[in-house]
Amino acid sequence: PTPAPTLEPSSTPETPLAATESLPNTPPSKNSWPIYTLATDLPESPAEVRLYMQAYPAGLPSETRLAEIMAQLQITGPVSTATTEGGDQELTVTGETGTFYLLSDDPLHLRISSLTSVPGNSEIVLPVETRIQKAEAFLQERGLLDFPYLIEPPLLSRDRNRAVRVVPLVDGYQVYDYDALNGRLLVWFNAEGEISVVFWRPLKLIPSDPILIVPVETAWAQLVEGKRLNIDALGQCWLATVFDPAELNGVAGTFEPQSCYSTTTSPGFDAATITDVKLVYLAGDLSMGMSPFAFPADSPARLVYPMWQFTGTTSDHRDVVILWPAMVEP
């Protein structure tokens, strides 16, 4: 990929504006920009981090390589091919222990449906620690956890008690998974407490140049002000997602406009208390609703760049995760 340009530090932020003042080029909430309260310590800010590019997937494997993948996944059986909605060829392998659907190798892009569940109509909700242990053992036995990671429940999902997600770590920083229902690396459990489906779309990253990071104190001041200087510049988008854990049929919705991704529009909120702040990497899930081969190898859509993540609770008792630009503006 084309090396990232060297970026100069941003200027000192202006005097903070009133948190309730409506600012141009910023998304309104119900009435005005929300009032944010910080209920945690701000972390240390690195001076710079490295940009990355998602590698173009290799496509379907050879017969020899497919046999290796069958052995690795412990599913061996007849092979069939079908065309996906995105127009790609997908291999299906069905065996006695389950089925896997393979769209690409290097990085793997597959879905595993397990047949290990037991009959019955029980409704078992496993403790988080048990789900993590079961998922980690299942994935380790199949050689899939060959990168730094952590495992936790999905943050913004009504299925947080039925699934765990694997979070890749890039240079020690978490990769943000913005699709709560169809995560990049997600393990689902059925009503009997057994693993039922695994969504597996790991990242293969190509390093680019280091870029300068906005200090977290500056990012927090910008969030409180609701002020961005150049929302259309690379890495300067923002994203706020809200979720009501008390709504059984609720979905996580993106607060628009001017967000990084256009998904479900949800109501704004008047205020939020932030209880966790961290630097994360944002990597677009290029397979959501389209072909993972749709973007050229040098497309900006493949860039993986840092964002400040602010997590908390809104004044109307919804969970909220806000991503705010961490790259110094060009």
Side-chain angles (χ1 to χ4, degrees), residues 52-98:
Y52 286 89
M53 183 77 79
Q54 296 187 50
Y56 194 83
L60 293 178
S62 64
E63 290 187 8
T64 301
R65 173 62 182 146
L66 179 58
E68 294 175 352
I69 294 174
M70 287 185 192
Q72 176 182 348
L73 300 181
Q74 303 175 24
I75 298 176
T76 303
V79 180
S80 60
T81 305
T83 302
T84 67
E85 293 182 0
D88 301 313
Q89 292 298 298
E90 182 180 66
L91 292 178
T92 300
V93 178
T94 303
E96 295 182 357
T97 59

mmCIF file of all heavy atoms in Angstrom, residues 52-98:
data_model
loop_
_atom_site.group_PDB
_atom_site.id
_atom_site.type_symbol
_atom_site.label_atom_id
_atom_site.label_comp_id
_atom_site.label_asym_id
_atom_site.label_seq_id
_atom_site.Cartn_x
_atom_site.Cartn_y
_atom_site.Cartn_z
ATOM 1 N N TYR A 52 -2.091 0.577 9.518
ATOM 2 C CA TYR A 52 -2.039 -0.736 8.872
ATOM 3 C C TYR A 52 -3.034 -0.779 7.721
ATOM 4 O O TYR A 52 -3.964 0.032 7.653
ATOM 5 C CB TYR A 52 -2.374 -1.844 9.877
ATOM 6 C CG TYR A 52 -1.266 -2.134 10.863
ATOM 7 C CD1 TYR A 52 -1.178 -1.443 12.065
ATOM 8 C CD2 TYR A 52 -0.299 -3.093 10.586
ATOM 9 C CE1 TYR A 52 -0.169 -1.695 12.971
ATOM 10 C CE2 TYR A 52 0.715 -3.361 11.488
ATOM 11 C CZ TYR A 52 0.780 -2.658 12.680
ATOM 12 O OH TYR A 52 1.796 -2.911 13.569
ATOM 13 N N MET A 53 -2.818 -1.721 6.834
ATOM 14 C CA MET A 53 -3.716 -1.950 5.715
ATOM 15 C C MET A 53 -4.158 -3.410 5.736
ATOM 16 O O MET A 53 -3.328 -4.312 5.916
ATOM 17 C CB MET A 53 -3.018 -1.642 4.385
ATOM 18 C CG MET A 53 -3.891 -1.786 3.164
ATOM 19 S SD MET A 53 -5.025 -0.405 2.933
ATOM 20 C CE MET A 53 -3.917 0.820 2.226
ATOM 21 N N GLN A 54 -5.461 -3.656 5.588
ATOM 22 C CA GLN A 54 -5.944 -5.027 5.492
ATOM 23 C C GLN A 54 -5.487 -5.636 4.163
ATOM 24 O O GLN A 54 -5.725 -5.067 3.099
ATOM 25 C CB GLN A 54 -7.471 -5.063 5.565
ATOM 26 C CG GLN A 54 -8.048 -4.595 6.876
ATOM 27 C CD GLN A 54 -9.540 -4.823 6.943
ATOM 28 O OE1 GLN A 54 -10.027 -5.913 6.671
ATOM 29 N NE2 GLN A 54 -10.277 -3.787 7.306
ATOM 30 N N ALA A 55 -4.856 -6.797 4.234
ATOM 31 C CA ALA A 55 -4.373 -7.466 3.034
ATOM 32 C C ALA A 55 -5.536 -7.963 2.189
ATOM 33 O O ALA A 55 -6.594 -8.332 2.713
ATOM 34 C CB ALA A 55 -3.470 -8.635 3.408
ATOM 35 N N TYR A 56 -5.345 -7.961 0.893
ATOM 36 C CA TYR A 56 -6.351 -8.502 -0.025
ATOM 37 C C TYR A 56 -6.408 -10.016 0.162
ATOM 38 O O TYR A 56 -5.380 -10.691 0.172
ATOM 39 C CB TYR A 56 -5.985 -8.169 -1.464
ATOM 40 C CG TYR A 56 -7.103 -8.390 -2.457
ATOM 41 C CD1 TYR A 56 -8.081 -7.407 -2.649
ATOM 42 C CD2 TYR A 56 -7.186 -9.568 -3.199
ATOM 43 C CE1 TYR A 56 -9.106 -7.602 -3.550
ATOM 44 C CE2 TYR A 56 -8.210 -9.760 -4.102
ATOM 45 C CZ TYR A 56 -9.171 -8.779 -4.272
ATOM 46 O OH TYR A 56 -10.194 -8.974 -5.159
ATOM 47 N N PRO A 57 -7.607 -10.605 0.365
ATOM 48 C CA PRO A 57 -7.692 -12.039 0.641
ATOM 49 C C PRO A 57 -7.256 -12.883 -0.549
ATOM 50 O O PRO A 57 -7.386 -12.483 -1.708
ATOM 51 C CB PRO A 57 -9.183 -12.247 0.953
ATOM 52 C CG PRO A 57 -9.883 -11.084 0.335
ATOM 53 C CD PRO A 57 -8.927 -9.940 0.389
ATOM 54 N N ALA A 58 -6.732 -14.055 -0.241
ATOM 55 C CA ALA A 58 -6.142 -14.914 -1.270
ATOM 56 C C ALA A 58 -7.179 -15.660 -2.098
ATOM 57 O O ALA A 58 -6.864 -16.162 -3.176
ATOM 58 C CB ALA A 58 -5.199 -15.919 -0.620
ATOM 59 N N GLY A 59 -8.424 -15.760 -1.619
ATOM 60 C CA GLY A 59 -9.436 -16.515 -2.352
ATOM 61 C C GLY A 59 -9.467 -17.972 -1.917
ATOM 62 O O GLY A 59 -8.897 -18.356 -0.894
ATOM 63 N N LEU A 60 -10.137 -18.797 -2.690
ATOM 64 C CA LEU A 60 -10.315 -20.198 -2.336
ATOM 65 C C LEU A 60 -8.994 -20.968 -2.429
ATOM 66 O O LEU A 60 -8.158 -20.679 -3.282
ATOM 67 C CB LEU A 60 -11.362 -20.852 -3.228
ATOM 68 C CG LEU A 60 -12.794 -20.332 -3.037
ATOM 69 C CD1 LEU A 60 -13.744 -21.013 -4.017
ATOM 70 C CD2 LEU A 60 -13.266 -20.546 -1.606
ATOM 71 N N PRO A 61 -8.817 -21.962 -1.569
ATOM 72 C CA PRO A 61 -7.551 -22.715 -1.536
ATOM 73 C C PRO A 61 -7.494 -23.798 -2.608
ATOM 74 O O PRO A 61 -8.513 -24.170 -3.213
ATOM 75 C CB PRO A 61 -7.577 -23.339 -0.140
ATOM 76 C CG PRO A 61 -9.033 -23.554 0.134
ATOM 77 C CD PRO A 61 -9.744 -22.384 -0.497
ATOM 78 N N SER A 62 -6.302 -24.322 -2.815
ATOM 79 C CA SER A 62 -6.132 -25.486 -3.690
ATOM 80 C C SER A 62 -6.674 -26.725 -2.998
ATOM 81 O O SER A 62 -7.006 -26.697 -1.801
ATOM 82 C CB SER A 62 -4.647 -25.677 -4.000
ATOM 83 O OG SER A 62 -3.932 -25.988 -2.801
ATOM 84 N N GLU A 63 -6.766 -27.835 -3.706
ATOM 85 C CA GLU A 63 -7.260 -29.078 -3.104
ATOM 86 C C GLU A 63 -6.362 -29.527 -1.958
ATOM 87 O O GLU A 63 -6.852 -29.987 -0.920
ATOM 88 C CB GLU A 63 -7.348 -30.170 -4.171
ATOM 89 C CG GLU A 63 -8.446 -29.951 -5.205
ATOM 90 C CD GLU A 63 -8.604 -31.146 -6.135
ATOM 91 O OE1 GLU A 63 -7.960 -32.193 -5.853
ATOM 92 O OE2 GLU A 63 -9.337 -31.045 -7.131
ATOM 93 N N THR A 64 -5.056 -29.375 -2.159
ATOM 94 C CA THR A 64 -4.121 -29.767 -1.101
ATOM 95 C C THR A 64 -4.320 -28.912 0.140
ATOM 96 O O THR A 64 -4.373 -29.412 1.268
ATOM 97 C CB THR A 64 -2.680 -29.645 -1.596
ATOM 98 O OG1 THR A 64 -2.491 -30.484 -2.735
ATOM 99 C CG2 THR A 64 -1.699 -30.035 -0.502
ATOM 100 N N ARG A 65 -4.438 -27.608 -0.064
ATOM 101 C CA ARG A 65 -4.632 -26.696 1.059
ATOM 102 C C ARG A 65 -5.991 -26.929 1.720
ATOM 103 O O ARG A 65 -6.111 -26.867 2.954
ATOM 104 C CB ARG A 65 -4.512 -25.257 0.562
ATOM 105 C CG ARG A 65 -4.865 -24.194 1.595
ATOM 106 C CD ARG A 65 -3.955 -24.227 2.799
ATOM 107 N NE ARG A 65 -4.373 -23.220 3.779
ATOM 108 C CZ ARG A 65 -4.271 -23.367 5.085
ATOM 109 N NH1 ARG A 65 -3.757 -24.467 5.610
ATOM 110 N NH2 ARG A 65 -4.662 -22.407 5.893
ATOM 111 N N LEU A 66 -7.026 -27.230 0.936
ATOM 112 C CA LEU A 66 -8.347 -27.495 1.507
ATOM 113 C C LEU A 66 -8.305 -28.723 2.409
ATOM 114 O O LEU A 66 -8.925 -28.743 3.477
ATOM 115 C CB LEU A 66 -9.380 -27.690 0.402
ATOM 116 C CG LEU A 66 -10.812 -27.989 0.862
ATOM 117 C CD1 LEU A 66 -11.346 -26.881 1.762
ATOM 118 C CD2 LEU A 66 -11.724 -28.204 -0.338
ATOM 119 N N ALA A 67 -7.552 -29.727 1.999
ATOM 120 C CA ALA A 67 -7.410 -30.917 2.842
ATOM 121 C C ALA A 67 -6.752 -30.557 4.169
ATOM 122 O O ALA A 67 -7.131 -31.084 5.226
ATOM 123 C CB ALA A 67 -6.594 -31.982 2.110
ATOM 124 N N GLU A 68 -5.776 -29.641 4.135
ATOM 125 C CA GLU A 68 -5.126 -29.191 5.367
ATOM 126 C C GLU A 68 -6.120 -28.442 6.261
ATOM 127 O O GLU A 68 -6.125 -28.608 7.482
ATOM 128 C CB GLU A 68 -3.940 -28.287 5.026
ATOM 129 C CG GLU A 68 -2.803 -28.996 4.300
ATOM 130 C CD GLU A 68 -1.717 -28.032 3.870
ATOM 131 O OE1 GLU A 68 -1.933 -26.792 4.012
ATOM 132 O OE2 GLU A 68 -0.657 -28.480 3.389
ATOM 133 N N ILE A 69 -6.970 -27.616 5.647
ATOM 134 C CA ILE A 69 -7.961 -26.864 6.419
ATOM 135 C C ILE A 69 -8.982 -27.814 7.040
ATOM 136 O O ILE A 69 -9.387 -27.634 8.201
ATOM 137 C CB ILE A 69 -8.656 -25.819 5.525
ATOM 138 C CG1 ILE A 69 -7.652 -24.763 5.077
ATOM 139 C CG2 ILE A 69 -9.834 -25.154 6.262
ATOM 140 C CD1 ILE A 69 -8.202 -23.756 4.076
ATOM 141 N N MET A 70 -9.390 -28.856 6.305
ATOM 142 C CA MET A 70 -10.311 -29.849 6.858
ATOM 143 C C MET A 70 -9.722 -30.499 8.105
ATOM 144 O O MET A 70 -10.393 -30.634 9.142
ATOM 145 C CB MET A 70 -10.615 -30.931 5.819
ATOM 146 C CG MET A 70 -11.508 -30.523 4.677
ATOM 147 S SD MET A 70 -11.857 -31.987 3.633
ATOM 148 C CE MET A 70 -12.600 -31.208 2.207
ATOM 149 N N ALA A 71 -8.462 -30.898 8.001
ATOM 150 C CA ALA A 71 -7.806 -31.533 9.147
ATOM 151 C C ALA A 71 -7.691 -30.553 10.309
ATOM 152 O O ALA A 71 -7.895 -30.924 11.468
ATOM 153 C CB ALA A 71 -6.431 -32.050 8.732
ATOM 154 N N GLN A 72 -7.367 -29.303 9.992
ATOM 155 C CA GLN A 72 -7.224 -28.289 11.037
ATOM 156 C C GLN A 72 -8.541 -28.047 11.760
ATOM 157 O O GLN A 72 -8.580 -27.971 12.996
ATOM 158 C CB GLN A 72 -6.729 -26.983 10.414
ATOM 159 C CG GLN A 72 -6.626 -25.824 11.402
ATOM 160 C CD GLN A 72 -6.176 -24.546 10.725
ATOM 161 O OE1 GLN A 72 -5.724 -24.532 9.583
ATOM 162 N NE2 GLN A 72 -6.301 -23.436 11.432
ATOM 163 N N LEU A 73 -9.634 -27.940 11.013
ATOM 164 C CA LEU A 73 -10.941 -27.655 11.599
ATOM 165 C C LEU A 73 -11.643 -28.904 12.127
ATOM 166 O O LEU A 73 -12.712 -28.802 12.739
ATOM 167 C CB LEU A 73 -11.843 -26.961 10.572
ATOM 168 C CG LEU A 73 -11.338 -25.618 10.034
ATOM 169 C CD1 LEU A 73 -12.339 -25.043 9.039
ATOM 170 C CD2 LEU A 73 -11.089 -24.635 11.167
ATOM 171 N N GLN A 74 -11.062 -30.075 11.868
ATOM 172 C CA GLN A 74 -11.608 -31.353 12.337
ATOM 173 C C GLN A 74 -12.996 -31.616 11.755
ATOM 174 O O GLN A 74 -13.886 -32.172 12.405
ATOM 175 C CB GLN A 74 -11.651 -31.382 13.875
ATOM 176 C CG GLN A 74 -10.302 -31.151 14.527
ATOM 177 C CD GLN A 74 -10.368 -31.072 16.037
ATOM 178 O OE1 GLN A 74 -11.291 -31.595 16.660
ATOM 179 N NE2 GLN A 74 -9.379 -30.424 16.648
ATOM 180 N N ILE A 75 -13.174 -31.190 10.517
ATOM 181 C CA ILE A 75 -14.407 -31.454 9.769
ATOM 182 C C ILE A 75 -14.004 -31.948 8.384
ATOM 183 O O ILE A 75 -13.429 -31.200 7.590
ATOM 184 C CB ILE A 75 -15.275 -30.189 9.637
ATOM 185 C CG1 ILE A 75 -15.721 -29.683 11.014
ATOM 186 C CG2 ILE A 75 -16.499 -30.461 8.763
ATOM 187 C CD1 ILE A 75 -16.496 -28.386 10.977
ATOM 188 N N THR A 76 -14.270 -33.199 8.114
ATOM 189 C CA THR A 76 -13.921 -33.806 6.837
ATOM 190 C C THR A 76 -15.162 -34.422 6.219
ATOM 191 O O THR A 76 -15.940 -35.090 6.903
ATOM 192 C CB THR A 76 -12.855 -34.896 7.030
ATOM 193 O OG1 THR A 76 -11.705 -34.317 7.664
ATOM 194 C CG2 THR A 76 -12.443 -35.497 5.696
ATOM 195 N N GLY A 77 -15.359 -34.171 4.924
ATOM 196 C CA GLY A 77 -16.530 -34.720 4.265
ATOM 197 C C GLY A 77 -16.657 -34.200 2.847
ATOM 198 O O GLY A 77 -15.721 -33.606 2.291
ATOM 199 N N PRO A 78 -17.830 -34.415 2.238
ATOM 200 C CA PRO A 78 -18.065 -33.971 0.867
ATOM 201 C C PRO A 78 -17.937 -32.456 0.728
ATOM 202 O O PRO A 78 -18.249 -31.700 1.653
ATOM 203 C CB PRO A 78 -19.503 -34.427 0.592
ATOM 204 C CG PRO A 78 -19.781 -35.488 1.595
ATOM 205 C CD PRO A 78 -18.984 -35.144 2.803
ATOM 206 N N VAL A 79 -17.477 -32.036 -0.460
ATOM 207 C CA VAL A 79 -17.279 -30.620 -0.747
ATOM 208 C C VAL A 79 -18.266 -30.190 -1.824
ATOM 209 O O VAL A 79 -18.437 -30.867 -2.831
ATOM 210 C CB VAL A 79 -15.840 -30.345 -1.232
ATOM 211 C CG1 VAL A 79 -15.647 -28.863 -1.533
ATOM 212 C CG2 VAL A 79 -14.827 -30.824 -0.201
ATOM 213 N N SER A 80 -18.923 -29.065 -1.591
ATOM 214 C CA SER A 80 -19.807 -28.486 -2.600
ATOM 215 C C SER A 80 -19.479 -27.008 -2.747
ATOM 216 O O SER A 80 -18.830 -26.409 -1.876
ATOM 217 C CB SER A 80 -21.279 -28.662 -2.213
ATOM 218 O OG SER A 80 -21.555 -28.031 -0.972
ATOM 219 N N THR A 81 -19.914 -26.424 -3.845
ATOM 220 C CA THR A 81 -19.637 -25.019 -4.133
ATOM 221 C C THR A 81 -20.936 -24.308 -4.479
ATOM 222 O O THR A 81 -21.787 -24.850 -5.176
ATOM 223 C CB THR A 81 -18.658 -24.878 -5.311
ATOM 224 O OG1 THR A 81 -17.476 -25.631 -5.038
ATOM 225 C CG2 THR A 81 -18.272 -23.423 -5.531
ATOM 226 N N ALA A 82 -21.084 -23.094 -3.985
ATOM 227 C CA ALA A 82 -22.258 -22.280 -4.278
ATOM 228 C C ALA A 82 -21.820 -20.830 -4.461
ATOM 229 O O ALA A 82 -20.730 -20.436 -4.031
ATOM 230 C CB ALA A 82 -23.289 -22.386 -3.159
ATOM 231 N N THR A 83 -22.673 -20.048 -5.094
ATOM 232 C CA THR A 83 -22.410 -18.630 -5.294
ATOM 233 C C THR A 83 -23.127 -17.826 -4.229
ATOM 234 O O THR A 83 -24.328 -18.006 -4.002
ATOM 235 C CB THR A 83 -22.887 -18.179 -6.689
ATOM 236 O OG1 THR A 83 -22.235 -18.960 -7.693
ATOM 237 C CG2 THR A 83 -22.562 -16.705 -6.918
ATOM 238 N N THR A 84 -22.399 -16.948 -3.541
ATOM 239 C CA THR A 84 -22.979 -16.137 -2.478
ATOM 240 C C THR A 84 -23.763 -14.965 -3.064
ATOM 241 O O THR A 84 -23.725 -14.709 -4.282
ATOM 242 C CB THR A 84 -21.883 -15.586 -1.560
ATOM 243 O OG1 THR A 84 -21.084 -14.636 -2.293
ATOM 244 C CG2 THR A 84 -20.983 -16.709 -1.069
ATOM 245 N N GLU A 85 -24.460 -14.235 -2.194
ATOM 246 C CA GLU A 85 -25.193 -13.058 -2.635
ATOM 247 C C GLU A 85 -24.253 -12.001 -3.202
ATOM 248 O O GLU A 85 -24.657 -11.195 -4.041
ATOM 249 C CB GLU A 85 -25.994 -12.473 -1.469
ATOM 250 C CG GLU A 85 -27.124 -13.375 -0.997
ATOM 251 C CD GLU A 85 -27.922 -12.743 0.123
ATOM 252 O OE1 GLU A 85 -27.568 -11.603 0.517
ATOM 253 O OE2 GLU A 85 -28.876 -13.363 0.605
ATOM 254 N N GLY A 86 -23.026 -11.999 -2.737
ATOM 255 C CA GLY A 86 -22.042 -11.060 -3.250
ATOM 256 C C GLY A 86 -21.406 -11.487 -4.560
ATOM 257 O O GLY A 86 -20.560 -10.778 -5.090
ATOM 258 N N GLY A 87 -21.797 -12.666 -5.066
ATOM 259 C CA GLY A 87 -21.268 -13.155 -6.332
ATOM 260 C C GLY A 87 -19.981 -13.930 -6.215
ATOM 261 O O GLY A 87 -19.346 -14.236 -7.238
ATOM 262 N N ASP A 88 -19.565 -14.297 -5.006
ATOM 263 C CA ASP A 88 -18.330 -15.044 -4.799
ATOM 264 C C ASP A 88 -18.615 -16.536 -4.697
ATOM 265 O O ASP A 88 -19.722 -16.960 -4.365
ATOM 266 C CB ASP A 88 -17.634 -14.578 -3.519
ATOM 267 C CG ASP A 88 -17.305 -13.105 -3.547
ATOM 268 O OD1 ASP A 88 -16.763 -12.648 -4.572
ATOM 269 O OD2 ASP A 88 -17.602 -12.407 -2.554
ATOM 270 N N GLN A 89 -17.597 -17.333 -4.972
ATOM 271 C CA GLN A 89 -17.706 -18.777 -4.826
ATOM 272 C C GLN A 89 -17.363 -19.166 -3.382
ATOM 273 O O GLN A 89 -16.345 -18.744 -2.843
ATOM 274 C CB GLN A 89 -16.772 -19.488 -5.794
ATOM 275 C CG GLN A 89 -17.169 -19.321 -7.264
ATOM 276 C CD GLN A 89 -18.537 -19.916 -7.550
ATOM 277 O OE1 GLN A 89 -18.754 -21.116 -7.389
ATOM 278 N NE2 GLN A 89 -19.469 -19.078 -7.980
ATOM 279 N N GLU A 90 -18.235 -19.972 -2.780
ATOM 280 C CA GLU A 90 -18.042 -20.406 -1.405
ATOM 281 C C GLU A 90 -18.056 -21.930 -1.351
ATOM 282 O O GLU A 90 -18.956 -22.568 -1.892
ATOM 283 C CB GLU A 90 -19.157 -19.838 -0.519
ATOM 284 C CG GLU A 90 -19.019 -20.204 0.945
ATOM 285 C CD GLU A 90 -20.146 -19.613 1.778
ATOM 286 O OE1 GLU A 90 -21.315 -20.032 1.578
ATOM 287 O OE2 GLU A 90 -19.865 -18.727 2.609
ATOM 288 N N LEU A 91 -17.041 -22.476 -0.681
ATOM 289 C CA LEU A 91 -16.954 -23.919 -0.499
ATOM 290 C C LEU A 91 -17.683 -24.325 0.775
ATOM 291 O O LEU A 91 -17.580 -23.650 1.796
ATOM 292 C CB LEU A 91 -15.497 -24.370 -0.408
ATOM 293 C CG LEU A 91 -14.628 -24.252 -1.654
ATOM 294 C CD1 LEU A 91 -13.200 -24.712 -1.348
ATOM 295 C CD2 LEU A 91 -15.207 -25.078 -2.797
ATOM 296 N N THR A 92 -18.402 -25.438 0.712
ATOM 297 C CA THR A 92 -19.059 -25.999 1.890
ATOM 298 C C THR A 92 -18.550 -27.415 2.103
ATOM 299 O O THR A 92 -18.538 -28.226 1.172
ATOM 300 C CB THR A 92 -20.589 -26.028 1.721
ATOM 301 O OG1 THR A 92 -21.062 -24.700 1.521
ATOM 302 C CG2 THR A 92 -21.264 -26.622 2.951
ATOM 303 N N VAL A 93 -18.098 -27.694 3.321
ATOM 304 C CA VAL A 93 -17.639 -29.031 3.682
ATOM 305 C C VAL A 93 -18.503 -29.519 4.841
ATOM 306 O O VAL A 93 -18.565 -28.865 5.887
ATOM 307 C CB VAL A 93 -16.156 -29.031 4.093
ATOM 308 C CG1 VAL A 93 -15.718 -30.435 4.517
ATOM 309 C CG2 VAL A 93 -15.282 -28.520 2.944
ATOM 310 N N THR A 94 -19.184 -30.654 4.642
ATOM 311 C CA THR A 94 -20.090 -31.201 5.652
ATOM 312 C C THR A 94 -19.569 -32.537 6.142
ATOM 313 O O THR A 94 -19.307 -33.449 5.350
ATOM 314 C CB THR A 94 -21.508 -31.380 5.082
ATOM 315 O OG1 THR A 94 -21.979 -30.111 4.600
ATOM 316 C CG2 THR A 94 -22.458 -31.901 6.142
ATOM 317 N N GLY A 95 -19.391 -32.629 7.455
ATOM 318 C CA GLY A 95 -18.907 -33.874 8.043
ATOM 319 C C GLY A 95 -19.737 -34.286 9.231
ATOM 320 O O GLY A 95 -20.760 -33.660 9.554
ATOM 321 N N GLU A 96 -19.301 -35.299 9.916
ATOM 322 C CA GLU A 96 -20.050 -35.821 11.062
ATOM 323 C C GLU A 96 -19.992 -34.885 12.265
ATOM 324 O O GLU A 96 -20.869 -34.940 13.130
ATOM 325 C CB GLU A 96 -19.512 -37.204 11.449
ATOM 326 C CG GLU A 96 -19.724 -38.266 10.386
ATOM 327 C CD GLU A 96 -19.210 -39.626 10.826
ATOM 328 O OE1 GLU A 96 -18.635 -39.695 11.940
ATOM 329 O OE2 GLU A 96 -19.388 -40.598 10.073
ATOM 330 N N THR A 97 -18.986 -34.050 12.349
ATOM 331 C CA THR A 97 -18.842 -33.157 13.508
ATOM 332 C C THR A 97 -19.330 -31.745 13.242
ATOM 333 O O THR A 97 -19.312 -30.910 14.148
ATOM 334 C CB THR A 97 -17.364 -33.085 13.940
ATOM 335 O OG1 THR A 97 -16.575 -32.608 12.833
ATOM 336 C CG2 THR A 97 -16.862 -34.460 14.369
ATOM 337 N N GLY A 98 -19.756 -31.469 12.010
ATOM 338 C CA GLY A 98 -20.238 -30.128 11.715
ATOM 339 C C GLY A 98 -20.034 -29.768 10.255
ATOM 340 O O GLY A 98 -19.690 -30.621 9.420
#
